[in-house]
Amino acid sequence: MDTMNRVKAEWELLNDGEILVVGNSLLQPVLSAGRQAMLKVPLNKEEQRGFRLLACWDGSAAVNVFRYDAHALLMERAIGERSLKHMVFSGREEEANRIICAVVKRLHANVCPILADLVPLPVWFRSLESAAGREGGFFVRGVAVAKELLAAPRDPVALHGDIHYGNILDGGPRGWLVIDPKGLAGERGFDFANIFCNPDLTVAGSPERLPKQAPLIAEWARIEVQRLLRWIIAWAALMASWMLEDGIDPVLPITVGEIAEKELDQTFIPPDASIR
């Protein structure tokens, strides 16, 4: 809280709403020279890496960054009334997922000169190996899939790293805008996997959901559906490993990962199938 108050004084910001604790950050709507903005103060260093990437995107499919330093970020406040999460809950998931794919495509098209500052995906996945050694089962299968993907990456880009319905906001006339990138670097297909672990267990854990949506997202994202399914398995295993570390029941990502495994088994075509 001291950091937030200091930054507001130094940057001459006026309160325009209550302070919120969201994830690992403090957020507050503020006014900057009469302009509506959002002030973000991270509670861990991971968020700071995302500041640099968000600034590098320069408002292309992302909120504009007005100012940032090692301690805080002042960004555009997206105040449109539409919500991708509401679309999903109201039966318009395909519309929401198509929007996500279009936004992520624009993000990945941005040329960012700060790739050296971003965390490579193999580093991001280190927690999964530890979990596989402790837990076995799905985690062992997940780490095997992850190693295969990471050994031969395709189309490397600057990755958002946490794409889901709550991290893409309605920017009004500016369209849909992302917030809160993690600041990763690796294969672009990774950024589509977290869609399937959201927005909650009821939706994500439905046996019918993934088999229906995966082919659509693969088409819109221009990714082979089998490769997308592998990224879903790898991501679900990694997410589950983090949840275990935090003492949280990882039922959601494990459920999604196991559904993706079954779907991969059904869609996989052996290399010599054409000659049988």
Side-chain angles (χ1 to χ4, degrees):
M1 200 68 68
D2 290 342
T3 299
M4 178 164 276
N5 290 332
R6 178 181 57 77
V7 169
K8 285 189 291 186
E10 291 179 359
W11 294 358
E12 299 181 340
L13 306 176
L14 299 176
N15 296 341
D16 196 36
E18 299 296 320
I19 297 174
L20 304 172
V21 179
V22 179
N24 293 312
S25 298
L26 299 177
L27 292 173
Q28 185 176 22
V30 295
L31 296 176
S32 173
R35 174 178 55 188
Q36 290 182 322
M38 186 69 74
L39 177 63
K40 178 176 182 177
V41 174
L43 300 177
N44 62 29
K45 293 183 179 180
E46 176 186 290
E47 297 290 334
Q48 297 168 2
R49 185 174 58 249
F51 292 177
R52 298 193 295 274
L53 181 56
L54 196 61
C56 186
W57 283 333
D58 196 24
S60 178
V63 294
N64 281 302
V65 173
F66 300 140
R67 184 171 181 174
Y68 76 99
D69 62 17
H71 308 289
L73 169 75
L74 185 67
M75 60 183 166
E76 174 183 3
R77 196 191 316 172
I79 56 175
E81 297 181 354
R82 297 175 297 171
S83 163
L84 294 181
K85 186 179 292 187
H86 178 73
M87 286 184 189
V88 175
F89 287 139
S90 62
R92 298 160 58 198
E93 181 176 6
E94 288 186 20
E95 180 181 354
N97 289 343
R98 186 187 285 270
I99 289 170
I100 287 180
C101 290
V103 170
V104 174
K105 181 179 179 180
R106 288 182 60 200
L107 283 184
H108 290 171
N110 291 330
V111 177
C112 249
I114 63 166
L115 282 175
D117 295 340
L118 304 179
V119 174
L121 278 183
V123 174
W124 202 241
F125 271 85
R126 284 177 180 168
S127 294
L128 179 52
E129 292 202 37
S130 299
R134 294 190 312 270
E135 305 294 331
F138 173 68
F139 294 91
V140 172
R141 301 194 301 274
V143 80
V145 172
K147 285 183 176 180
E148 178 186 354
L149 292 167
L150 296 171
R154 303 176 184 176
D155 304 322
V157 296
L159 295 164
H160 181 283
D162 193 23
I163 290 292
H164 60 74
Y165 303 105
N167 271 346
I168 301 179
L169 306 181
D170 180 7
R174 294 235 301 124
W176 295 96
L177 306 173
V178 302
I179 59 171
D180 295 346
K182 295 301 182 185
L184 310 180
E187 182 174 328
R188 68 181 185 88
F190 172 83
D191 258 348
F192 299 95
N194 195 30
I195 297 172
F196 295 89
C197 289
N198 281 275
D200 63 12
L201 180 58
T202 301
V203 174
S206 168
E208 295 81 20
R209 190 260 189 138
L210 187 148
K212 180 180 179 181
Q213 295 299 324
L216 295 175
I217 290 175
E219 178 183 353
W220 298 330
R222 297 187 177 182
I223 300 172
E224 296 172 3
V225 67
Q226 292 86 2
R227 195 160 184 90
L228 176 59
L229 290 169
R230 290 186 174 93
W231 274 120
I232 295 168
I233 294 165
W235 165 247
L238 179 60
M239 182 179 179
S241 72
W242 288 338
M243 293 176 74
L244 283 176
E245 290 175 359
D246 293 336
I248 301 171
D249 185 351
V251 59
L252 190 159
I254 290 177
T255 299
V256 172
E258 290 178 343
I259 293 172
E261 286 181 318
K262 292 178 182 177
E263 188 66 12
L264 182 61
D265 287 342
Q266 293 176 8
T267 60
F268 179 70
I269 301 174
D272 60 346
S274 61
I275 62 175
R276 292 180 180 175

